[in-house]
Amino acid sequence: MALQILENNGTFFLEGNLNATTSRSFIIHFEYLINSCSSITINIGRLKGIDSNGVSAIKSLFANALRNQKLFSVNGLGSKDIYEDIQSDNAA
């Protein structure tokens, strides 16, 4: 299943799969948004699946937002695991 990005009240809801096939277009889309918005919130609660490429894509966007001094947050089922993965990378 392809990845769909839907926006509602400033939150971007991801639906489908975030994987090796969809992660590059996901990064391109959100890099543009990071450059043009002061904050980005994505909700991953509707994702059917996310693989290591998808997690890496989210981590890449976190780093991009940090470099550009923008707010970037992830919420929804599974977001805690992503935050813990990012924290473990920062501690290493």
Side-chain angles (χ1 to χ4, degrees):
M1 178 180 209
L3 179 67
Q4 289 186 315
I5 302 169
L6 307 168
E7 188 268 335
N8 187 14
N9 293 327
T11 298
F12 296 88
F13 293 86
L14 306 182
E15 294 183 3
N17 293 302
L18 184 55
N19 54 30
T21 305
T22 59
S23 62
R24 186 67 195 137
S25 59
F26 169 76
I27 289 171
I28 291 168
H29 182 74
F30 280 97
E31 281 180 344
Y32 170 78
L33 290 172
I34 287 169
N35 289 328
S36 60
C37 301
S38 61
S39 68
I40 302 290
T41 301
I42 61 172
N43 183 299
I44 61 170
R46 298 180 186 171
L47 282 178
K48 300 251 185 259
I50 183 169
D51 68 5
S52 61
N53 292 297
V55 173
S56 293
I58 291 173
K59 289 165 62 173
S60 172
L61 292 174
F62 266 111
N64 187 335
L66 186 62
R67 279 191 305 275
N68 290 296
Q69 299 178 337
K70 304 291 179 96
L71 299 175
F72 187 87
S73 60
V74 178
N75 59 34
L77 185 62
S79 60
K80 182 180 176 192
D81 295 329
I82 292 172
Y83 280 114
E84 288 174 355
D85 190 28
I86 291 168
Q87 291 302 320
S88 68
D89 283 352
N90 290 337

